[in-house]
Structures are given as C-alpha cells and as structure tokens.
Amino acid sequence: MDTAIEREVRAAAQTVYQFAARVENWPSILPHYRWVHVLEVSSADRRTVAMAARRDVVGRVGIPVRWVAVQTLYPNEPRIEFVHIGGITRGMHVAWTFDNLPNGRLLVRIRHVFEPRWPVPPGLVRLIVGDYFVNGVARRTLRRICELAEGQS
C-alpha cells in the first residue's frame, strides 16, 4: 500500500512543520487524537512516541486506533518521518513533506507506505487500512494543522 494525501496552504513551511513535528501537542489541537506519549528521546531529532487517535464513524463515535512509532525530524529540509514499530501498522513508513509552489503557496503531503505480511489481498489492505483508516485520520490531521498554520501566517 502506497497512499498519499496533500493540501495546499498559505503558510510558511517552517510554521506548518512546527505544528506537525510537535506530536506531543496533537491531543490539544486535534480533536480526533486521544493521547500521545513520548516514550524515549534518542536525540534532538529522533524519538519514540506512542499515539492514539479515533477514526470517526458517525459524529464523535469512532473506532480507536493506536501505534508506536519512531519519529525523525529533518528541520533543515523540512521533512518529518515516522516508522511504526508497534501496533497493527508495524512496519509502516510515513513521511511529511513540504514543497513551495510557484503560486506562493505550500504543498504539504503525507505519504504512507505499508506492506503487511497478512494473508489479505493488497487491494483490500489499501481500501481498508489505507483509504479508510490511515487517510481518514491523516486527512483530519492535515486539515487542522494547515488551518492552524494559516491562522499564524
């Protein structure tokens, strides 16, 4: 499964990057995040985090999801990467990228790459894991972080 969502925003890359990089703040700025715990700090740019969110179904009723990931920050690019090391999505690679566009806007993209060793057809993994769960949560995350960044620009 290789899936990506993106959004154009009127904000500086570093502004969006700061909101996205500080995952420990996500539960206070993202209503669909239940909690984030920093489990280990390996360096200033690398840490292990446990995260829990909710994939909304109807209103505020949703399906809880959680995982453990190693977050690596690349502030000079900017770029943020996650490798899931715990949970049902163990092995998933996630990358946040920030590209300046000629129209003066910023393109923020979240890409998820996941190849589980489950006895499930890849198309079904993409549909259920990728499109429904992963992109369902990521789309809300990206929308809200971009709104907050635009509000500061």
Side-chain angles (χ1 to χ4, degrees), residues 48-153:
T48 303
V49 293
M51 305 174 86
R54 182 184 71 248
R55 171 51 167 109
D56 289 339
V57 177
V58 177
R60 293 192 54 89
V61 175
I63 299 168
V65 293
R66 63 182 181 170
W67 62 96
V68 177
V70 174
Q71 178 193 41
T72 306
L73 304 173
Y74 301 92
N76 296 328
E77 294 187 30
R79 181 179 175 88
I80 303 167
E81 294 181 355
F82 296 89
V83 177
H84 290 212
I85 61 170
I88 195 145
T89 55
R90 180 185 324 228
M92 181 180 292
H93 290 258
V94 182
W96 285 65
T97 57
F98 309 85
D99 296 306
N100 291 308
L101 299 173
N103 63 5
R105 295 172 66 105
L106 178 72
L107 181 66
V108 183
R109 179 178 293 119
I110 306 173
R111 181 179 178 206
H112 293 84
V113 178
F114 183 47
E115 296 187 23
R117 296 184 181 157
W118 308 335
V120 177
L124 195 55
V125 171
R126 180 180 173 79
L127 181 66
I128 295 173
V129 177
D131 293 341
Y132 186 76
F133 282 101
V134 169
N135 285 344
V137 172
R139 203 173 346 274
R140 290 188 69 196
T141 301
L142 181 59
R143 181 177 56 242
R144 182 65 181 139
I145 283 178
C146 287
E147 288 170 354
L148 291 168
E150 282 184 320
Q152 286 203 348
S153 294

Side-chain angles (χ1 to χ4, degrees), residues 10-78:
R10 291 182 193 268
Q14 282 299 324
T15 303
V16 182
Y17 173 87
Q18 290 302 320
F19 278 109
R22 296 182 182 138
V23 295
E24 65 276 13
N25 295 338
W26 284 12
S28 64
I29 64 172
L30 303 173
H32 57 292
Y33 265 78
R34 296 169 33 221
W35 47 261
V36 174
H37 302 297
V38 176
L39 303 177
E40 179 184 349
V41 176
S42 304
S43 70
D45 296 327
R46 188 176 176 93
R47 61 194 178 158
T48 303
V49 293
M51 305 174 86
R54 182 184 71 248
R55 171 51 167 109
D56 289 339
V57 177
V58 177
R60 293 192 54 89
V61 175
I63 299 168
V65 293
R66 63 182 181 170
W67 62 96
V68 177
V70 174
Q71 178 193 41
T72 306
L73 304 173
Y74 301 92
N76 296 328
E77 294 187 30

